[in-house]
Amino acid sequence: MEGIEHRIVEVNDIKMHIAEKGEGPMVLLLHGFPELWYSWRYQIVTLSSHGYHAVAPDLRGYGDTDAPASVSSYTCFHIVGDLIALLDNLGAHQVFLVAHDWGAAIGWYLCMFRPDKVKAYVCLSVPFIPRNPNTKTVDGMHALYGDDYYVCRFQELGKMEAEMNEVGTAYVMKNILTTRKIGPPILPKGEYGIGFNPDTTETLPSWLTEDDLAYFVTKFEKTGFTGGLNYYRNLNL
């Protein structure tokens, strides 16, 4: 897409796929769940045209980046470690950081663990939420929203994967990417059902083309959703 280059780099004992374009100060773009570097395709082009080196990785467990088998390989320390290794690999001493959803949460960790690496941070969706020293994260969400809150439903290895597989990758991607429902996502046990979006329609919104959807579907049909779900499974650590 418009001169975006792709390559695989060795970081933190895994192979990471990155998409990049431009020269100048580096802008690191971090995607959410269930997304890929592709979510930043327009921003990569625009930023590069304004004198920046825009870099968007597929995070650990996503797309063309390695997906370690162990659930315990998806802690915030692993993921931030991947990013620090990526910056070192690219020779970037500091970056402008832009992040969304799970990427935004990881962005806050990156700012806390290595503030020397971040010149400025644009957080697009998830505010900084300090951990409660008296309550584990998932336990707190369970107390607030109940068993069927999506984060709680994501905890059991293989369970949500099976339910997503039953409705199909295309439905899951369309369901999540097009949702505009407010409030805590609730997924009744036993089925993915209407998932995140009770108003999912066959017609896509103007900002999401059939080709866009097909790109996501192709990648997630190859990898499955386990890598991304494993981020949630480490929230209580």
Side-chain angles (χ1 to χ4, degrees):
M1 179 181 183
E2 297 189 50
I4 295 176
E5 298 180 350
H6 299 264
R7 57 175 162 145
I8 301 294
V9 295
E10 298 272 354
V11 300
N12 199 23
D13 296 326
I14 66 169
K15 293 181 174 64
M16 173 175 276
H17 164 254
I18 65 170
E20 61 182 334
K21 186 177 183 182
E23 297 181 357
M26 182 171 155
V27 180
L28 181 63
L29 304 157
L30 305 181
H31 66 78
F33 173 85
E35 298 179 76
L36 302 162
W37 76 270
Y38 191 80
S39 297
W40 302 107
R41 59 199 179 280
Y42 297 116
Q43 288 79 14
I44 292 172
V45 173
T46 299
L47 287 165
S48 67
S49 72
H50 285 79
Y52 293 96
H53 177 200
V55 178
D58 283 336
L59 294 174
R60 172 180 291 239
Y62 287 90
D64 294 317
T65 292
D66 285 350
S70 172
V71 174
S72 62
S73 295
Y74 293 83
T75 69
C76 60
F77 301 108
H78 288 88
I79 302 160
V80 170
D82 296 344
L83 298 176
I84 294 300
L86 174 62
L87 301 190
D88 291 344
N89 186 295
L90 299 181
H93 299 295
Q94 271 196 329
V95 297
F96 294 100
L97 179 64
V98 182
H100 164 66
D101 190 66
W102 250 111
I106 296 303
W108 289 117
Y109 285 123
L110 177 57
C111 290
M112 288 191 294
F113 298 164
R114 292 298 303 270
D116 58 304
K117 291 292 188 180
V118 182
K119 187 173 182 65
Y121 180 30
V122 179
C123 174
L124 297 182
S125 58
V126 179
F128 176 64
I129 304 174
R131 291 178 70 94
N132 184 333
N134 300 313
T135 305
K136 291 184 176 180
T137 302
V138 178
D139 297 349
M141 292 176 176
H142 180 271
L144 281 173
Y145 305 118
D147 293 346
D148 295 344
Y149 184 57
Y150 80 106
V151 173
C152 302
R153 290 273 277 106
F154 285 178
Q155 294 304 306
E156 184 180 345
L157 180 62
K159 180 66 174 176
M160 183 51 62
E161 288 93 327
E163 294 178 16
M164 288 178 165
N165 185 62
E166 189 171 325
V167 298
T169 304
Y171 179 81
V172 172
M173 293 307 306
K174 184 187 296 187
N175 178 262
I176 296 178
L177 293 179
T178 64
T179 186
R180 290 297 178 267
K181 182 181 178 182
I182 61 174
I186 302 298
L187 306 178
K189 280 188 173 60
E191 61 177 355
Y192 183 83
I194 59 173
F196 290 76
N197 184 4
D199 302 315
T200 303
T201 63
E202 289 299 318
T203 303
L204 294 175
S206 60
W207 49 266
L208 184 68
T209 69
E210 291 291 346
D211 286 344
D212 294 334
L213 181 63
Y215 185 89
F216 284 108
V217 171
T218 297
K219 293 298 182 181
F220 280 100
E221 283 188 338
K222 174 186 172 185
T223 64
F225 293 97
T226 299
L229 291 170
N230 282 342
Y231 286 51
Y232 295 92
R233 292 167 181 153
N234 281 278
L235 281 172
N236 259 0
L237 296 183

